[in-house]
């Protein structure tokens, strides 16, 4: 059941709970019954009335002006991703999540030109729609077939695969919430959220945290069943000529055991493909 506060009110309340008075230079008066800032304190910082801010959080006011949302974003110290998200929730920016077409031949060629890196493309629904040989070997059949979100939360193997599963899971939910803020979101996003909420208690806990950020996690440690442990650095980029697609490239420090293991994965996949 949808909350009466609506997405905007829920988001504002969650962000308010993360900030202490000391963070924004306010005195911490005793008897505080809420975690983070009070509504009245946010209102003062944003230069709006306490009643108006309360109505925003309660869902009784859902059409704030651009200056008000800008002031709230500053008062709540929102990150760039979270700032863009709150503007979308307030319906003050172009909100439609694009539905990209197929991966271009040129991008496929680029990924194949990375022999020492795992490169793959995801769509707005977090399905892996293209991958080079090294990425196919690194990701494995479950992620390739069902998508990154399903693997993280619904496949028990993910907890052994990711050395830092909790951090990976939090980053995944944060990116999914960002995708859900588009109006309308990609057609696959809301059904994905519904399924994960129904099937994963851990997902529900992270989802209710209301953290918003793109796919920004830069390092993961993976326990791969074929080559053992790898520590990889990830870079995710928007595909300029196909809005909605994101290219992720995972690399290892040159000369490291992880680099050797990543190269071995590529070679194993090439051998499997040649015998397939």
């Amino acid at each position: 059941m949808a909350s009466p506060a609506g997405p905007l009110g829920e988001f504002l309340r969650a962000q308010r709970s993360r900030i202490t008075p000391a963070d924004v230079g306010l005195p911490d008066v005793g008897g505080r019954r809420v975690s983070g800032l009070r509504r009245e304190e946010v209102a003062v910082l944003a230069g709006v009335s306490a009643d108006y801010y309360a109505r925003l959080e309660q869902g009784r006011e859902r059409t704030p002006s651009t200056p008000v949302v800008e002031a709230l974003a500053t008062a709540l110290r929102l990150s760039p991703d979270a700032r863009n998200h709150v503007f979308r929730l307030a319906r003050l920016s172009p909100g439609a999540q694009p539905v990209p077409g197929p991966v271009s031949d040129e991008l496929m060629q680029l990924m194949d030109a990375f022999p020492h890196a795992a490169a793959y493309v995801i769509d707005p629904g977090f399905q892996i729609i293209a991958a080079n040989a090294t990425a196919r070997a690194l990701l494995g059949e479950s992620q390739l077939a069902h998508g990154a979100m399903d693997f993280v939360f619904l496949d028990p193997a993910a907890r052994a695969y990711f050395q830092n599963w909790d951090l990976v899971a939090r980053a995944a939910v944060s990116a999914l919430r960002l995708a859900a803020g588009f109006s309308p979101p990609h057609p696959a996003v809301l059904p994905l959220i519904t399924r994960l909420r129904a099937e994963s208690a851990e997902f529900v806990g992270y989802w209710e945290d209301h953290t918003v950020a793109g796919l920004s996690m830069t390092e993961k440690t993976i326990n791969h069943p074929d080559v053992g442990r790898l520590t990889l650095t990830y870079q995710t980029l928007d595909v300029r000529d196909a809005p909605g697609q994101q290219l992720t490239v995972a690399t290892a420090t040159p000369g490291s055991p992880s680099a050797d293991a990543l190269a071995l994965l590529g070679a194993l996949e090439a051998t499997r493909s040649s015998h397939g």
Side-chain angles (χ1 to χ4, degrees):
M1 179 181 298
S3 166
L8 176 61
E10 290 180 351
F11 182 76
L12 292 174
R13 185 169 59 249
Q15 304 315 307
R16 173 168 62 88
S17 71
R18 291 193 173 93
I19 302 175
T20 67
D23 290 335
V24 292
L26 293 175
D28 190 357
V29 181
R32 186 171 292 272
R33 294 184 299 171
V34 297
S35 60
L37 296 178
R38 296 186 176 98
R39 286 175 177 168
E40 296 81 1
E41 291 167 334
V42 176
V44 169
L45 291 169
V48 299
S49 73
D51 177 69
Y52 181 78
Y53 180 74
R55 286 189 281 120
L56 282 173
E57 278 203 7
Q58 293 165 356
R60 295 185 291 125
E61 171 59 61
R62 303 194 182 204
T63 57
S65 67
T66 296
V68 166
V69 176
E70 188 67 62
L72 289 171
T74 301
L76 294 170
R77 298 193 166 192
L78 300 185
S79 68
D81 281 333
R83 180 186 177 280
N84 291 337
H85 182 69
V86 76
F87 268 86
R88 282 192 291 272
L89 294 181
R91 300 183 180 181
L92 290 173
S93 64
Q97 175 71 306
V99 179
V103 176
S104 68
D105 291 340
E106 292 79 10
L107 184 54
M108 291 294 300
Q109 292 170 8
L110 176 64
M111 290 192 295
D112 288 338
F114 296 153
H116 303 299
Y120 56 96
V121 178
I122 63 170
D123 68 12
F126 298 91
Q127 294 295 310
I128 298 160
I129 56 177
N132 68 4
T134 304
R136 291 195 298 273
L138 176 69
L139 295 168
E141 293 183 5
S142 180
Q143 290 191 75
L144 292 171
H146 304 296
M149 293 293 173
D150 280 57
F151 177 71
V152 170
F153 290 101
L154 303 182
D155 190 330
R159 294 176 185 273
Y161 180 87
F162 293 114
Q163 181 73 22
N164 44 359
W165 180 88
D166 178 72
L167 294 177
V168 172
R170 288 181 183 275
V173 173
S174 181
L176 183 55
R177 183 169 282 283
L178 182 66
F182 287 87
S183 180
H186 181 274
V189 169
L190 296 183
L192 174 61
I193 293 168
T194 299
R195 185 172 71 256
L196 293 176
R197 285 177 65 91
E199 299 184 29
S200 171
E202 291 92 343
F203 176 84
V204 172
Y206 295 139
W207 183 254
E208 292 178 350
D209 186 54
H210 284 266
T211 299
V212 177
L215 292 171
S216 58
M217 188 173 183
T218 58
E219 186 174 285
K220 297 178 187 176
T221 300
I222 290 170
N223 299 310
H224 197 278
D226 292 334
V227 297
R229 182 170 298 183
L230 304 90
T231 299
L232 303 175
T233 298
Y234 286 71
Q235 180 69 45
T236 299
L237 308 166
D238 292 328
V239 179
R240 188 176 182 85
D241 64 352
Q245 290 180 4
Q246 291 185 298
L247 169 66
T248 294
V249 181
T251 59
T253 301
S256 67
S258 293
D260 293 339
L262 197 60
L264 178 56
L265 278 175
L268 291 172
E269 179 62 23
T271 300
R272 280 194 289 262
S273 297
S274 65
H275 289 85

